[in-house]
């Protein structure tokens, strides 16, 4: 006892050296992890200095390491304490003129660092946008618009090239004026055609300082709140109650497609703004269309939109406006959850089941879980809306941890569409058709088009042929850098790897046996497009996938044309399945419901259910009603059978029972470690070594299951061989502890990279 005391208490001479000093604790954005203490000299303590004040959430310049090189770090703590002043270095500068992170945000980022096993500094770099860190300034910009006389008569304007035509159309269709570079990006052209348009007077320019907030909100006609139906009213009242309680509360809003969830959000937000507070609305990036944004701008004075195409300057400007409390509603993708709203009152996540809310680079956070932590820290409600809630959210609602709100019907008594499956195993369905469209689907399309309706076709595979195979020797052509079969793209006439974008010329003979009989098989959206054009030559058809939608704005252009009836058949990947609302769509065809069904991922069934249910929700939104045909080889699979009946309850019951048995989320926690490297042998050995470490670090009573190492389902990616280890336990905390201990001790060979994914969504 005596011994121990003697060791922990400082010696007398040490005490003498100590004094009360102001100490700033700093974490570095890059490089060394950990927290470092620095003395704050008096010159940085004078309140009247303002700009040079040391304060938490500002970045400081500090000397670091033996050579005392100057580095920049975030001040995460500031306190007067007893220190041995001689042992501490001093802060040498203050970078920011105002704090970038409130104490609530510092707390949130610390939670992320601990939870996702990521250095705090790296989290901070991810949370504070690059434009803000670089202090990208506001500036004068020239904005372009189409004069109204030109816009009124677009077709007959004297354009002299396809690019000019396109640029003019894109600008005319844009709801806001664009800068030249925004327009070039949206139209996929260079500056030259835009200059020509300016010269001809078809486009006019005006200058504007982009720091003004009114810039965002012009030209949106005002709309009044709708009269809610009883289900919406009940849901809204529950949210009101939660808002008044001024406590953290999770609410799962389960509403079928077209049930009016957005209207409930809008009216809840109105109340929040009435309290003088702000709201954050997260939507999947792909749903962040001008239509979505307009619905918010039509209701509220000041809406900031955050998405990934924004320039650093724009982002910085939004950030400043939000931080000053000038913004009432922030609408944005995943990272908008970090918006520096001074008095946050509500967070809404729409389509909360979407996998895009999980970030796939460090910090590998899930916006839903971060939002919940933020709700806890700020004492506010979090609303999670979906027609197909993630089972994690559903389970919390079922257990009473979150409140469940239900909108069981579509608005205005519209019926959910009839959904039927087409069993592709039955030769009667397919005999007369060679391509991807079965006889019944062809007939249904015909009928729909004849009745003046529009058709959507979903096929979740882009490209033309999804594999290239030699029938003589069986060889399947694969990417040399990834163990992935190449997809043939006919327009480019290239064989392309969908993981690393590597392109090669398609072979005319088998690279193995030189047989000339090489065959292009499998159906991609490009081949489907050809088939549709051949079958329905009188209809206008458009394809929407990441290949056809490369430039910003093109997505919007196609949807606008579809909305106005200029396109009759819209086909595409899951891009078309999300949140679109077209009353004239009377038929939705799912060309192959099985694409995700057999992936080695415990969420494969859930993803299939979500995709079919969501795309089915795109029809039957008008008076004409609508139907859905789902082509599948697995009509009896529980996920497909339930989606066909719009039966989320049944699906979740079945799926949860399976998850419970295997202790998969939400009944247990998962952690995935991927080891990758250019040498297969070294990567394998490292993974094996780590797995040993993990096993020896987990005590038997904590019941950690360690599966692997195994070759990852995608064994090779961008030249790196991949091995993975999966860890499973009842409590996530147990997994984090074991993983952190073992990974910290791991000495990684050169070029080998280890990534730790807490609550993984990507299992490939
Ligand atoms: P969800 O988000 O659940 O798919 P939306 O909020 O987009 O549904 O609503 C679908 C459509 O119904 C929208 O056009 C919306 O304006 C309309 N709508 C919503 N609530 C009502 C209501 N109470 N009365 C009439 N129309 C409504
Ligand atoms: Zn061959
Ligand atoms: Zn590749």
């Amino acid at each position: 006892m005596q011994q121990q005391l003697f060791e922990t208490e400082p010696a007398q001479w040490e005490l003498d050296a100590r004094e009360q000093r102001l100490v700033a604790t700093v974490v570095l954005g890059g490089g060394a992890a950990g927290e470092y203490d620095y003395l704050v000299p008096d010159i940085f303590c004078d309140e009247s200095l303002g700009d040079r004040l040391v304060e938490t959430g500002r970045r400081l310049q500090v000397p670091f390491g033996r050579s005392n090189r100057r580095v920049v770090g975030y001040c995460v703590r500031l306190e007067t304490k007893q220190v041995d002043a001689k042992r501490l270095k001093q802060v040498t500068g203050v970078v920011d003129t105002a704090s970038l992170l409130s104490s609530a945000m510092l707390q949130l980022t610390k939670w992320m660092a601990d939870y996702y096993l990521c250095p705090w500094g790296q989290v901070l770099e991810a949370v504070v946008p690059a434009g803000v860190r670089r202090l990208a300034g506001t500036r004068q910009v020239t904005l372009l618009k189409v004069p109204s006389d030109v816009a009124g008569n677009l077709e007959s304007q004297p354009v002299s090239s396809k690019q000019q035509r396109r640029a003019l159309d894109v600008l005319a269709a844009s709801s806001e004026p664009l800068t030249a570079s925004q327009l070039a990006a949206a139209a996929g052209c260079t500056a030259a055609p835009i200059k020509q348009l300016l010269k001809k007077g078809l486009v006019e320019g005006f200058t504007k300082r982009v720091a003004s907030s009114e810039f965002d909100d012009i030209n949106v006609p005002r709309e009044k709140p709708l009269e809610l139906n009883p289900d919406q009213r009940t849901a809204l009242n529950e949210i009101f109650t939660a808002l008044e309680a001024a406590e953290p509360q999770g609410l799962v809003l389960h509403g079928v497609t077209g049930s009016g969830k957005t209207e409930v959000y809008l009216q809840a937000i109105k109340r929040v703004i009435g309290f003088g507070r702000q709201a954050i609305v997260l939507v999947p990036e792909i749903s962040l269309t001008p239509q979505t944004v307009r619905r918010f701008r039509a209701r509220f004075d000041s809406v900031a939109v955050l998405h990934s195409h924004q320039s650093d300057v724009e982002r910085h400007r939004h950030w400043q406006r939000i931080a000053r409390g000038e913004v009432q509603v922030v609408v944005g993708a995943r990272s908008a959850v970090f918006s520096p709203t001074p008095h946050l009152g509500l967070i809404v996540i729409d389509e909360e089941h979407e996998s895009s809310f999980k970030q796939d680079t460090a910090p590998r956070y899930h916006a839903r879980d971060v939002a919940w932590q933020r709700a806890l820290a700020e004492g506010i409600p979090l609303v999670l809306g979906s027609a197909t809630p993630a089972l994690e959210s559903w389970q919390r609602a079922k257990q009473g941890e979150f409140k469940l709100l239900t909108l069981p019907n579509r608005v205005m008594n519209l019926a959910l569409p009839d959904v039927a499956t087409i069993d592709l195993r039955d030769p009667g369905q397919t005999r007369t058709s060679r391509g991807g469209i079965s006889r019944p689907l062809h007939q249904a399309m015909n009928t729909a088009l004849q009745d003046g309706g529009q058709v959507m076709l979903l096929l979740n595979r882009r490209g033309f042929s999804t594999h290239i195979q030699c029938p003589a020797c069986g060889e399947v052509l694969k990417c040399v850098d990834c163990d992935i079969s190449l997809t043939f793209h006919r327009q480019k006439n290239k064989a392309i790897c969908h993981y690393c974008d590597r392109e090669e010329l398609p072979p005319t003979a088998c690279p193995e046996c030189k047989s000339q009989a090489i065959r292009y098989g499998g159906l991609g959206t490009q081949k489907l497009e050809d088939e549709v054009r051949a079958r329905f030559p009188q209809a206008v058809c458009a394809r929407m996938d990441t290949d056809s939608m490369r430039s910003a704005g093109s997505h919007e252009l196609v949807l606008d044309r579809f909305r106005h009836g200029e396109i009759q058949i819209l086909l595409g990947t899951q891009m078309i399945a999300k949140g679109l609302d077209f009353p004239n769509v009377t038929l939705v065809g799912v060309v192959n419901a099985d694409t995700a069904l057999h992936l080695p991922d415990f969420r494969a069934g859930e993803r299939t259910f979500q995709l079919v249910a969501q795309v089915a929700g795109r029809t039957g939104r008008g008076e004409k009603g609508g139907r859905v045909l789902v082509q599948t080889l697995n009509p009896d699979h529980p996920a497909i059978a339930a989606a066909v009946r719009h039966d989320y309850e049944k699906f979740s019951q079945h799926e949860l029972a399976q998850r419970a048995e295997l202790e998969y989320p939400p009944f247990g926690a998962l952690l995935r470690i991927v080891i990758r490297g250019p040498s297969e042998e070294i990567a394998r050995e490292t993974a094996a070594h780590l797995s040993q470490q993990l096993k020896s670090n987990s005590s038997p009573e904590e019941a950690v299951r360690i599966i692997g190492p195994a070759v990852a389902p995608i064994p090779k990616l961008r030249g790196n061989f991949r091995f993975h280890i999966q860890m499973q336990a009842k409590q996530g905390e147990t997994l984090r502890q074991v993983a952190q201990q073992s990974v910290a001790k791991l000495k990684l060979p050169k070029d080998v990279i280890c990534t730790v994914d807490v609550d993984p969504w990507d299992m490939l």
Side-chain angles (χ1 to χ4, degrees):
M1 200 65 208
Q2 200 59 34
Q3 186 73 29
Q4 218 169 11
L5 259 182
F6 191 75
E7 275 179 6
T8 50
E9 296 257 301
Q12 194 58 43
W13 65 267
E14 250 181 315
L15 272 180
D16 287 343
R18 290 178 162 243
E19 50 187 307
Q20 289 273 31
R21 291 292 293 270
L22 186 62
V23 174
T25 307
V26 168
V27 301
L28 305 186
E35 300 173 15
Y36 303 91
D37 281 353
Y38 289 89
L39 295 176
V40 182
D42 291 343
I43 51 158
F44 296 131
C45 299
D46 186 350
E47 293 276 348
S48 68
L49 283 173
D51 279 1
R52 294 172 68 196
L53 189 67
V54 168
E55 174 181 43
T56 55
R58 291 201 201 193
R59 285 167 305 162
L60 309 177
Q61 190 196 52
V62 291
F64 192 78
R66 234 176 270 154
S67 63
N68 281 333
R69 71 200 150 86
R70 295 287 191 265
V71 297
V72 170
Y74 294 82
C75 176
V76 294
R77 216 174 300 125
L78 192 61
E79 58 190 341
T80 303
K81 58 182 180 184
Q82 286 278 355
V83 288
D84 178 359
K86 282 192 217 70
R87 290 196 180 175
L88 290 185
K89 298 175 189 174
Q90 292 203 344
V91 172
T92 49
V94 179
V95 178
D96 300 302
T97 55
S99 174
L100 303 177
L101 297 137
S102 65
S103 62
M105 288 306 289
L106 283 171
Q107 198 185 321
L108 185 69
T109 51
K110 177 72 166 97
W111 174 85
M112 286 173 70
D114 294 341
Y115 188 88
Y116 293 107
L117 303 180
C118 181
W120 194 356
Q122 199 177 350
V123 175
L124 290 168
E125 293 282 286
V127 163
V128 181
V132 176
R133 296 197 308 264
R134 253 179 274 131
L135 307 171
T138 59
R139 65 195 161 114
Q140 193 100 342
V141 294
T142 301
L143 293 169
L144 306 177
K145 64 176 189 186
V146 180
S148 50
D149 54 319
V150 176
N153 200 359
L154 269 185
E155 292 306 317
S156 62
Q157 298 301 330
V159 293
S160 45
S161 75
K162 263 198 195 136
Q163 274 147 337
Q164 289 179 23
R165 177 86 260 165
R166 190 160 164 67
L168 185 63
D169 286 347
V170 169
L171 187 59
S174 167
S175 57
E176 295 170 357
L178 300 175
T179 63
S181 56
Q182 281 171 333
L183 178 56
C189 67
T190 59
I194 298 173
K195 275 190 195 138
Q196 288 299 321
L197 289 172
L198 272 164
K199 235 189 203 164
K200 291 180 185 167
L202 300 182
V203 162
E204 65 186 13
F206 59 101
T207 58
K208 186 130 194 166
R209 187 156 282 281
V210 283
S212 73
S213 59
E214 124 254 39
F215 169 63
D216 286 331
D217 302 323
I218 43 173
N219 288 338
V220 180
R222 278 308 154 116
E223 280 169 12
K224 287 216 169 60
L226 298 172
E227 193 69 47
L228 297 183
N229 64 35
D231 293 327
Q232 286 174 312
R233 170 60 48 202
T234 308
L236 182 64
N237 283 339
E238 292 284 3
I239 300 175
F240 282 169
T241 307
L243 286 172
E244 261 134 44
E247 286 178 1
Q249 160 92 75
L251 303 112
V252 174
L253 178 57
H254 176 218
V256 298
T257 53
S259 57
K261 295 184 287 295
T262 310
E263 188 60 35
V264 174
Y265 309 150
L266 290 168
Q267 299 197 20
I269 293 167
K270 185 163 180 252
R271 173 70 59 101
V272 170
I273 293 173
F275 293 154
R277 289 178 168 241
Q278 301 93 35
I280 296 176
V281 183
L282 303 185
V283 302
E285 177 91 38
I286 185 107
S287 310
L288 207 51
T289 60
Q291 267 63 40
T292 310
V293 172
R294 212 166 291 143
R295 284 180 83 175
F296 287 89
R297 293 221 164 118
R299 298 286 175 91
F300 307 114
D301 292 330
S302 173
V303 178
V305 179
L306 303 177
H307 56 74
S308 60
H309 306 304
Q310 267 153 345
S311 68
D312 281 356
V313 173
E314 269 178 301
R315 219 170 280 217
H316 185 202
R317 173 172 64 90
H318 283 307
W319 173 279
Q320 297 295 358
R321 280 180 59 208
I322 295 167
R324 285 195 301 266
E326 291 169 15
V327 170
Q328 297 168 320
V329 188
V330 181
V331 183
R334 182 175 65 224
S335 63
V337 72
F338 304 119
S339 300
T341 47
H343 297 289
L344 188 60
L346 175 70
I347 308 176
V348 174
I349 306 185
D350 192 31
E351 310 283 1
E352 61 90 32
H353 62 278
E354 273 283 309
S355 52
S356 66
F357 287 121
K358 167 88 175 175
Q359 173 148 302
D360 58 7
T361 55
R364 294 182 161 73
Y365 68 91
H366 197 297
R368 190 205 303 130
D369 298 318
V370 173
W372 177 236
Q373 290 305 315
R374 191 158 179 193
L376 287 174
E378 311 225 17
I380 58 169
L382 166 67
V383 175
L384 303 172
S386 175
T388 54
L391 289 174
E392 285 84 352
S393 308
W394 187 247
Q395 181 65 9
R396 290 177 98 162
K398 274 184 54 178
Q399 288 179 330
E401 209 182 317
F402 285 0
K403 197 163 200 94
L404 181 63
L405 315 175
T406 313
L407 304 179
N409 302 306
R410 286 186 157 182
V411 292
M412 316 293 282
N413 297 319
L414 289 172
L416 282 164
D418 273 336
V419 185
T421 49
I422 298 172
D423 187 346
L424 294 178
R425 293 168 307 185
D426 173 3
Q429 309 276 40
T430 50
R431 195 173 33 210
T432 52
S433 80
R434 271 224 198 84
I437 297 174
S438 66
R439 202 162 32 157
L441 180 56
H442 177 101
Q443 281 161 357
M445 288 174 71
N446 232 343
T447 314
L449 294 172
Q450 268 162 14
D451 295 345
Q454 288 169 297
V455 177
M456 288 173 91
L457 290 181
L458 173 81
L459 176 62
N460 223 359
R461 282 190 174 149
R462 61 197 185 88
F464 190 84
S465 300
T466 52
H467 56 265
I468 304 172
Q469 192 172 24
C470 169
C473 75
E475 170 84 358
V476 173
L477 213 70
K478 289 188 171 173
C479 173
V480 295
D481 292 327
C482 314
D483 205 357
I484 301 284
S485 35
L486 294 175
T487 299
F488 175 56
H489 285 238
R490 204 168 65 174
Q491 271 144 339
K492 283 184 157 176
N493 193 33
K494 289 277 166 58
I496 301 179
C497 170
H498 281 182
Y499 282 85
C500 71
D501 290 333
R502 188 193 154 86
E503 301 185 351
E504 19 187 292
L505 281 173
T508 48
C510 171
E512 270 302 299
C513 74
K514 311 295 174 216
S515 157
Q516 303 269 320
I518 196 136
R519 194 178 290 156
Y520 290 65
L523 179 69
T525 45
Q526 295 178 6
K527 194 194 263 180
L528 180 66
E529 184 183 12
D530 282 5
E531 184 181 341
V532 168
R533 288 188 199 281
R535 284 173 184 267
F536 304 96
Q538 74 287 5
V540 180
C541 163
R543 190 183 94 229
M544 213 158 98
D545 53 31
T546 44
D547 299 303
S548 64
M549 300 291 128
R550 273 282 145 83
S551 52
S554 47
H555 180 245
E556 201 36 42
L557 206 62
V558 170
L559 291 181
D560 268 351
R561 291 178 56 212
F562 192 56
R563 185 171 296 108
H564 295 131
E566 293 164 38
I567 294 168
Q568 282 84 52
I569 303 174
L570 179 64
L571 68 91
T573 55
Q574 57 184 347
M575 270 183 141
I576 67 169
K578 306 288 162 61
L580 307 172
D581 187 359
F582 301 113
N584 198 38
V585 172
T586 54
L587 176 68
V588 166
V590 179
V591 175
N592 182 352
D594 310 335
T595 48
L597 204 52
H598 305 298
L599 291 176
D601 177 346
F602 73 97
R603 289 192 182 91
E606 187 178 9
R607 292 199 171 147
T608 300
F609 176 84
Q610 287 165 352
L611 191 64
V612 174
Q614 292 285 344
V615 75
R618 296 312 115 218
T619 180
R621 287 174 175 244
E623 284 118 41
K624 288 184 183 166
R627 48 189 304 228
V628 182
L629 291 175
V630 177
Q631 301 193 134
T632 171
L633 288 166
N634 304 274
D636 304 324
H637 189 283
I640 291 180
V644 163
R645 290 192 307 272
H646 306 288
D647 195 346
Y648 179 82
E649 292 270 352
K650 183 75 181 287
F651 163 75
S652 60
Q653 230 174 24
H654 175 270
E655 186 70 22
L656 283 173
Q658 283 202 333
R659 300 259 182 108
E661 202 171 303
L662 299 167
E663 293 204 337
Y664 274 128
F667 299 99
L670 273 188
L671 189 151
R672 181 174 186 244
I673 301 177
V674 176
I675 301 277
R676 63 177 203 264
S679 153
E680 186 171 5
E681 217 28 63
I682 295 175
R684 187 198 306 277
E685 275 166 19
T686 312
H689 178 70
L690 176 60
S691 169
Q692 274 309 315
Q693 284 289 317
L694 292 169
K695 281 171 189 158
S696 63
N697 276 339
S698 34
S699 58
E701 62 269 25
E702 283 166 333
V704 177
R705 274 185 74 198
I706 293 163
I707 308 157
V711 176
I714 297 176
K716 191 183 175 198
L717 208 53
R718 297 183 179 92
N720 284 311
F721 293 89
R722 306 167 78 239
F723 295 85
H724 71 164
I725 300 168
Q726 270 188 50
M727 300 172 65
Q728 248 180 311
K730 206 84 195 129
Q731 299 298 332
E733 191 47 42
T734 321
L735 293 182
R736 279 191 291 279
Q737 273 174 14
V738 176
Q740 188 168 32
Q741 278 176 17
S742 311
V743 171
K745 278 193 219 136
L746 187 68
K747 287 209 175 58
L748 284 175
K750 189 170 172 292
D751 297 332
V752 174
I753 292 169
C754 169
T755 55
V756 178
D757 193 354
V758 176
D759 304 337
W761 277 63
D762 179 359
M763 308 302 291
L764 303 180

